[in-house]
């Protein structure tokens, strides 16, 4: 670590803690950078800010395009800001996979919220893998906490694999549903409902109010059967557009916080998340190095095709490739 | 590869294909061995047998202790043998984690089935990790197929992580339930019901018949809501003890086979499983090497504890440890 990098990191850390919004944006840009020297400064910055992190409610919010996620987050953000909180909104989906309104940039989706002094909205970093986005989002969350934001919303589209990554970095994972039939009709991928700590049926107004009531009843029944642990997953309804039911959602999040702080579940969950984060960093880096190793790259595609076609045993293909990758470190 | 290893493998492959049961048992013992020279012969054996694999119905069966899994597998195995099939039963749970009757060994649980010439029962290999057991079970499955078994039952206890490993190696994953309330009351871990392609409520006889009907209705309702894809997960009931409903289970498995063969889902699933198996072999070996590297071992426990306590950023700890592990191959 160079002295300059350390000094830069210390200065930036002070500015972030003082509430300087441009410093906050710059700090997040720094951790999003893949340049090796930036990464050094980023790690020094995170180390300096770490003692001031952890004091927020970390929320994951997921829902398929069309569920009204932006409208919900805006109404929800304005509600909790009205109660004196500071809200940061981070997105985790790799931008290439995004659909719908977000093509115009996240801020244009939440016009009123983005004007608030106590709100900070950060679009998803562009053109990178889910693993990369998830790592940076975890770090951005810590930086926002050090900057004084006490409600962090991590947003994802409920159609892919990013939901597991988000559920693994928050205290409470909320799934927004449409007033409609089951998962398949709503376009929700298998296993995502099981991740939810809280289910909210949005658009419960006007013509859809009755359908919303049925959807709430159906999911309550299903989740009661599949429930696990002390927390009984609540199924609520709201209308983000008409700002109805948002207060109950926030109140329920408070109940979850109180319960999980009292019974130790939140601390346990955060410790497990940190350990899982360490191992996922290690695994992803090892696999990246493996894939980019010249002797592996030479035959990987061919062997993978043979394995998929059923003409080579996976263990034998793995053995061949690993032998090449590990040969050097064994000889060293 | 030595000539002797190749000759041994070729001889053993011929004996397995001829239906020699002792050769079959010896072949599985060989693939279970962790000795490097055994592994060489094992890979040659698997390569020789590979063209004769794939022609079975691969079933995963899971259920918590007490659900009557052994009784079910015995009744089911005898039923399909009666129809002219050959049945192999493999177990995947690391033996140290096993509970209940299996402590006496798997064969004593299925006395009648184990006496059948057309049945082959193999207990879980002792004292190893889940990853190791899963790898060997996948390979044992291929060997059984080459030996002419056309129904392979891979069995696991529905309380841990092995269910995902089993669902990832079979064509159809079946969950056995008790006539009782929801998942939590039954002791089923979160996410396991979502893995099921078929749900069967066992012990649907006598005093429990009415409760079983309610359980079937409840799970049908919940799974209809969460359903995905072309296959609507059926919820059946049976009494393995009284041998009632076993025929319907087998018939439903046949319907699943017909549908997934016709729409290509089975071939796609098997190709994806083979690719995932390749990558899991690679990941597990890399992580094993990483963990056992002297420079990593020196500080891993301390850094992991700091990360869990929240005093070190996971990315920084990973960076430190990976630097040590990868330094050698970078310099080479």
């Amino acid at each position: 670590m160079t002295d300059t990098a350390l000094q830069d990191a210390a200065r930036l850390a002070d500015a972030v803690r003082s509430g300087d919004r441009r410093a906050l944006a710059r700090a997040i840009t720094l951790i999003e950078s893949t340049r090796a020297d930036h990464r050094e400064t980023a790690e020094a910055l995170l180390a300096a800010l770490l003692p001031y992190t952890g004091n927020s409610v970390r929320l994951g919010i997921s829902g398929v395009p069309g569920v009204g996620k932006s409208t919900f987050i805006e109404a929800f953000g304005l509600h909790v800001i009205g109660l004196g909180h500071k809200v940061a909104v981070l997105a985790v989906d790799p931008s290439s996979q995004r659909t719908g309104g977000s093509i115009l940039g996240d801020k244009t989706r939440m016009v009123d919220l983005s004007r608030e002094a106590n709100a900070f909205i950060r679009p998803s970093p562009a053109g990178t893998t889910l693993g990369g986005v998830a790592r940076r989002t975890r770090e951005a969350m810590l930086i926002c906490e050090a900057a004084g934001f006490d409600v962090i919303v991590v947003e994802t589209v409920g159609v892919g694999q990013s939901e597991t990554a988000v559920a693994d970095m928050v205290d409470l994972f909320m799934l927004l549903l449409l007033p409609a039939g089951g998962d398949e009709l709503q376009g929700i991928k298998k296993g995502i409902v099981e991740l939810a700590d809280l289910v909210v049926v949005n658009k419960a107004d006007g013509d859809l109010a009755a359908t919303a009531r049925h959807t709430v009843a159906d999911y309550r029944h299903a989740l009661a059967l599949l429930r696990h642990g002390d927390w009984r997953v609540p199924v609520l309804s709201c209308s983000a557009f008409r700002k109805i039911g948002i207060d109950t959602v926030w109140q329920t999040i408070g109940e979850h916080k109180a319960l999980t702080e009292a019974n130790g579940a939140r601390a346990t969950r955060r410790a497990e998340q940190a350990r899982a984060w360490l191992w996922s960093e290690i695994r992803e880096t090892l696999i990246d190095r493996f894939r980019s190793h010249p002797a592996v790259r030479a035959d990987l595609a061919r062997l993978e095709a043979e394995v998929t076609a059923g003409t080579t045993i996976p263990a034998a293909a793995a053995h061949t490739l690993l032998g090449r990758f590990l040969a050097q470190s064994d000889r060293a």
Side-chain angles (χ1 to χ4, degrees), chain A residues 197 220 224 227-234:
Chain A
D197 301 298
R220 246 175 219 166
R227 74 174 287 214
H228 297 89
D230 285 346
W231 177 251
R232 183 180 187 117
V233 176

Side-chain angles (χ1 to χ4, degrees), chain A residues 66-68 177-179 201-209 212 237-241:
Chain A
V67 76
L177 295 180
L178 289 165
V201 179
N202 191 24
K203 304 197 178 179
D205 55 40
D207 290 350
L208 291 171
S237 66
C238 77
S239 164
F241 183 67

Side-chain angles (χ1 to χ4, degrees), chain A residues 275-328:
Chain A
R275 186 202 305 274
W277 178 6
L278 170 67
W279 283 104
S280 109
E281 289 273 340
I282 292 168
R283 260 195 312 272
E284 280 167 25
T285 308
L286 288 175
I287 288 286
D288 281 352
R289 291 297 191 102
F290 175 83
R291 275 186 183 279
S292 59
H293 192 285
V296 170
R297 277 167 63 186
D299 280 323
L300 178 56
R302 180 181 57 80
L303 284 168
E304 200 173 2
E306 287 178 13
V307 161
T308 310
T311 56
T312 294
I313 295 273
H319 188 164
T320 303
L321 295 168
L322 285 162
R324 296 180 187 174
F325 180 71
L326 295 167
Q328 292 178 319

